[in-house]
């Protein structure tokens, strides 16, 4: 019995009142999702940053695709706005040319009215054309002012519209 104790049993400890001290920490998720794999067991020691569970990536991939589609739509809208601004400026220039032409026509007709070469009705039509051209240019200027204000707001928000064509159409 002594040799068994010396070689085997003296290394075995038994007790009925012992306890093990450990730190139990509650784990809370950062995102919700379906758990597909558990990478740690109960009472297993883990380190900070170690992955404990793996979630199903389907929901996050759908959310990412939706966000990319919304970004692409926003980029297209901003590009359309910039194109509209350029078109609006061209329209203002065109309306200014029409106004100048209508004013020259009215001045020419008024100078000829004294000699009786132009009827009073033609002068009235020329005045109406000038008034119409002035209102058209006013409407174009108001539209250009709104677009310019939106562009300034986008620049103040630092929205970068110089993205790749793939991003703009949602292919990337």
């Amino acid at each position: 019995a002594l040799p068994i104790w010396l070689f085997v049993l003296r290394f075995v400890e038994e007790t009925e009142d012992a306890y093990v001290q450990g730190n139990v920490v509650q784990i809370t998720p950062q995102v919700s999702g379906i758990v597909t794999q558990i990478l740690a067991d109960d009472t297993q020691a883990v380190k900070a940053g170690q992955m404990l569970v793996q979630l199903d990536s389907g929901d996050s991939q759908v959310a990412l695709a939706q966000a990319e589609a919304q970004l692409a739509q926003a980029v297209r809208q901003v590009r359309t706005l910039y194109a509209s601004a350029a078109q609006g400026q061209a329209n203002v220039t065109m309306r200014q040319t029409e106004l100048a032409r209508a004013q020259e026509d009215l001045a020419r007709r008024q100078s000829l009215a004294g000699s009786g070469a132009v009827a009073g009705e033609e002068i009235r039509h020329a005045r109406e054309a000038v008034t119409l051209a002035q209102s058209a240019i006013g409407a174009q200027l108001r539209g250009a002012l709104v677009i310019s204000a939106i562009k300034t707001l986008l620049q103040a928000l630092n929205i970068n519209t110089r993205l790749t064509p793939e991003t703009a159409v949602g292919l990337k």
Side-chain angles (χ1 to χ4, degrees):
L2 184 61
I4 293 177
W5 182 83
L6 270 175
F7 293 110
V8 178
L9 295 178
R10 77 176 184 163
F11 299 108
V12 177
E13 285 188 35
E14 273 187 43
T15 181
E16 294 180 11
D17 62 350
Y19 69 95
V20 176
Q21 181 178 359
N23 295 325
V24 178
V25 178
Q26 182 175 356
I27 299 172
T28 57
Q30 292 178 344
V31 294
S32 63
I34 298 171
V35 175
T36 58
Q37 189 175 10
I38 299 174
L39 304 172
D41 290 327
D42 281 343
T43 69
Q44 179 182 347
V46 293
K47 296 179 181 171
Q50 180 180 342
M51 188 182 304
L52 302 177
V53 295
Q54 186 166 355
L55 300 178
D56 182 22
S57 62
D59 293 339
S60 60
Q61 288 175 346
V62 168
L64 177 63
Q66 287 176 342
E68 287 175 344
Q70 289 173 349
L71 173 63
Q73 179 65 27
V75 168
R76 286 191 295 273
Q77 288 173 346
V78 168
R79 286 186 177 169
T80 300
L81 176 67
Y82 275 83
S84 296
Q87 181 64 37
Q89 186 58 43
N91 286 342
V92 166
T93 304
M94 181 184 71
R95 297 294 182 191
Q96 287 172 335
T97 304
E98 288 175 359
L99 176 61
R101 190 176 328 129
Q103 288 171 334
E104 289 173 5
D105 187 42
L106 176 62
R108 200 172 36 252
R109 289 177 193 274
Q110 285 176 333
S111 67
L112 293 174
S115 66
V118 176
E121 186 174 337
E122 286 186 43
I123 294 175
R124 189 170 37 107
H125 286 299
R127 280 190 187 121
E128 289 173 359
V130 168
T131 304
L132 183 63
Q134 287 172 336
S135 9
I137 197 169
Q140 286 294 322
L141 286 173
R142 283 189 297 277
L145 183 62
V146 168
I147 290 175
S148 174
I150 292 172
K151 282 176 59 176
T152 303
L153 176 64
L154 291 174
Q155 289 169 351
L157 293 173
N158 198 22
I159 294 177
N160 183 6
T161 58
R162 292 182 185 99
L163 299 175
T164 64
E166 294 84 15
T167 305
V169 294
L171 298 176
K172 194 170 186 181

